[in-house]
Amino acid sequence: MDSLNKLWLSTGLANFEQGQVIMMIVGCLLLYLAIARKFEPLLLLPMGFGAILTNIPGAGFSEVGGFLYYIYHGGIETGIFPLIIFMGVGAMTDFGALIANPKTLFLGAAAQLGIFATLFGAIALNAVPGIEFTLKDASAIAIIGGADGPTAIFLATKLAPELLGAIAVAAYSYMALVPIIQPPIMRALTTEDERKIEMAQLRPVAKIEKVVFPLGVLLMTIFFLPTATPLVGMFCLGNLMRECGVVDRLSATAQNELINITTIFLGLGVGSKLSADAFLNVETLGILALGAVAFSIGTASGVLMAKGMNKICKEKVNPLIGAAGVSAVPMAARVANKVGLEANPHNFLLMHAMGPNVAGVLGSAVAAGILLALVG
Amino acid sequence: MEHLNQLFVEAGTLMLAGMIFVFTFLGLMIIFINVVLTRLAVKFPDKVIQTKPARSKQKTTQKIDGISPQMVAAITSAVTQYRKQHNQNLSINKTK
């Protein structure tokens, strides 16, 4: 009888706490979003599964000695996983569209307003009882507006590790929701005629330009913003491997096997931070709300910047590509292309939108560097 | 409340400094592209690989059974257009 009782006490059923059950349901919800709705499945699936594993009573996945404990502390807390992902993203990125039309960098810069404006929102939420965000917390939350998962995770681990789970969930959820969040804002801020603007064909970009570009970006970051060099440096390394043409094997590994393996561990590690005490609070709701605000402001400021540029520059820019200034590569560029095609079925904006899109990646990495330098 | 106000001031300063820096940094990048990269592209243009004209291309320029390729292209496009219109009419009739 005694051993039966002991066996019962070792079961999950006897040890479940309410918070753990709720977090397992949250994990299942993430799995549902990944599998059924195809929302960022590459990350939400391991993240949802990680959330289930970490909340199993008695299994000790996230306790000292547990599998997820080492994944988190070895790969995420140290910043290794987000940086490897960034290298892979660099290896996948073609800067051709940006080099051919460099003024789109301003669209990527404008869209970063989403990050800095959300800082205000996060601080304002301190007026709500139960929420207390420091400037570090607010900065980590604000980076969601950069629409860049690895950057958000990197900055959150440095500034507010206790908020990492909520920030990562918000960042990836909203990135998946880009096709739903952006179009209404883009349509509201542009006229039919503006959406019809056809842009001049991009000039061909020489190989030497593509090879020297990542080195130039790195050099500038070293000179002006060394705190951003972990992100920008790894990004540039990946891009250089892609463009130099002599290490195709390394480039292929960085953009396939390596990024895939790291994504599994990154997802599991972030999922391990989805514990009841860290996630089930008013602050998480605040972070989710702020994430939507950050995306919307970023989209709007990119579109408005493009409209402003049209008033100054001779060569017209379709303001829809301004919305691609929030990173979310290549989803945001696809959205700009789709909304453009609705207005003018012969107007393909995809390549033009890739310029501000990759500029947004650089912009959010620079913004993260600024936040680290000023707040970290 | 005073603490909150102070946080707002700090957030405002951060926003201003951050946006100015982002614009300056990416603006410098524009200068870098326009000044350095475009000059490099002129100095070291991509090597143009000379390829022999493909045989299939030669074939298409030759007359097929005495009909020039331009004529074939014109007939093909006319047939496609006719079929499109015809199909549209059919589908309109069906919906009616």
Side-chain angles (χ1 to χ4, degrees):
Chain A
M1 196 61 202
D2 204 35
S3 45
L4 266 179
N5 192 34
K6 214 173 172 182
L7 190 65
W8 165 249
L9 286 177
S10 70
T11 61
L13 289 170
N15 289 292
F16 264 131
E17 287 168 21
Q18 197 187 4
Q20 290 170 328
V21 178
I22 297 173
M23 287 316 294
M24 280 190 165
I25 294 170
V26 171
C28 291
L29 181 73
L30 293 180
L31 289 181
Y32 167 78
L33 289 175
I35 298 166
R37 308 300 298 269
K38 297 192 173 56
F39 281 5
E40 293 286 335
L42 292 178
L43 212 98
L44 286 193
L45 192 136
M47 203 190 283
F49 212 85
I52 295 172
L53 292 180
T54 200
N55 284 291
I56 298 172
F61 272 101
S62 297
E63 289 161 18
V64 183
F67 175 57
L68 296 181
Y69 174 87
Y70 288 115
I71 287 183
Y72 177 77
H73 289 279
I76 297 180
E77 197 178 49
T78 54
I80 292 173
F81 289 163
L83 293 180
I84 292 176
I85 300 256
F86 228 58
M87 180 175 71
V89 175
M92 286 189 223
T93 303
D94 180 2
F95 278 112
L98 180 70
I99 299 170
N101 191 5
K103 66 172 183 269
T104 54
L105 271 160
F106 279 139
L107 301 177
Q112 306 315 316
L113 186 66
I115 294 178
F116 293 106
T118 309
L119 255 173
F120 269 110
I123 296 297
L125 274 184
N126 280 331
V128 178
I131 293 183
E132 202 174 317
F133 289 135
T134 61
L135 205 58
K136 278 189 178 182
D137 296 340
S139 306
I141 296 165
I143 202 72
I144 298 172
D148 196 321
T151 307
I153 292 171
F154 182 78
L155 199 72
T157 46
K158 301 279 174 208
L159 297 181
E162 68 285 356
L163 299 177
L164 174 67
I167 289 173
V169 168
Y172 279 99
S173 309
Y174 288 124
M175 272 163 68
L177 290 174
V178 157
I180 297 166
I181 297 174
Q182 285 197 319
I185 301 167
M186 292 155 82
R187 288 189 200 107
L189 293 176
T190 51
T191 63
E192 181 81 15
D193 286 338
E194 283 172 332
R195 291 197 290 274
K196 281 181 182 169
I197 293 175
E198 287 187 24
M199 292 176 65
Q201 200 178 347
L202 296 172
R203 72 170 172 87
V205 175
K207 186 185 172 183
I208 184 103
E209 292 178 90
K210 288 186 176 180
V211 173
V212 174
F213 182 76
L215 293 171
V217 173
L218 180 63
L219 203 65
M220 283 172 61
T221 319
I222 292 169
F223 286 154
F224 302 114
L225 194 62
T227 47
T229 42
L231 284 167
V232 177
M234 292 307 282
F235 190 76
C236 290
L237 170 63
N239 193 251
L240 185 64
M241 289 197 296
R242 172 199 172 93
E243 300 297 352
C244 69
V246 292
V247 286
D248 287 345
R249 279 165 52 191
L250 299 189
S251 170
T253 303
Q255 53 183 296
N256 294 293
E257 294 85 355
L258 189 57
I259 202 170
N260 290 343
I261 292 168
T262 313
T263 303
I264 295 172
F265 290 130
L266 184 80
L268 281 172
V270 172
S272 76
K273 295 309 275 182
L274 292 178
S275 57
D277 51 337
F279 196 82
L280 294 179
N281 49 43
V282 197
E283 289 183 347
T284 301
L285 287 177
I287 291 170
L288 289 172
L290 284 169
V293 174
F295 262 60
S296 308
I297 295 177
T299 304
S301 50
V303 173
L304 292 175
M305 182 72 194
K307 287 177 74 151
M309 279 165 68
N310 275 345
K311 296 217 165 106
I312 303 165
C313 302
K314 267 186 195 169
E315 211 172 281
K316 293 286 177 202
V317 171
N318 190 313
L320 293 177
I321 69 164
V326 300
S327 327
V329 182
M331 188 89 87
R334 282 190 198 147
V335 170
N337 186 52
K338 194 176 160 228
V339 180
L341 281 174
E342 283 170 12
N344 178 358
H346 304 291
N347 197 10
F348 293 93
L349 294 170
L350 189 63
M351 275 318 288
H352 299 287
M354 282 312 287
N357 213 188
V358 294
V361 179
L362 287 175
S364 56
V366 170
I370 294 166
L371 291 173
L372 269 178
L374 297 180
V375 186
Chain B
M1 196 63 200
E2 202 176 299
H3 177 63
L4 199 63
N5 283 342
Q6 195 195 333
L7 277 177
F8 268 123
V9 173
E10 282 181 52
T13 318
L14 203 59
M15 181 169 123
L16 204 67
M19 283 311 287
I20 291 172
F21 194 92
V22 170
F23 267 98
T24 314
F25 192 88
L26 297 187
L28 282 173
M29 229 178 260
I30 295 178
I31 297 170
F32 168 71
I33 292 171
N34 284 335
V35 175
V36 182
L37 294 189
T38 42
R39 281 188 192 171
L40 276 176
V42 174
K43 242 183 172 179
F44 307 99
D46 285 350
K47 285 175 193 164
V48 183
I49 302 159
Q50 294 275 333
T51 49
K52 286 178 185 174
R55 281 186 180 181
S56 57
K57 219 176 181 182
Q58 279 181 334
K59 270 184 187 173
T60 52
T61 52
Q62 284 172 354
K63 287 188 174 185
I64 306 163
D65 295 335
I67 306 166
S68 72
Q70 286 91 340
M71 182 72 84
V72 174
I75 293 169
T76 314
S77 95
V79 169
T80 318
Q81 267 190 339
Y82 171 79
R83 280 187 183 157
K84 255 189 198 169
Q85 278 179 350
H86 194 64
N87 284 346
Q88 263 180 0
N89 289 340
L90 271 180
S91 59
I92 289 165
N93 288 339
K94 271 182 192 171
T95 50
K96 275 179 182 174

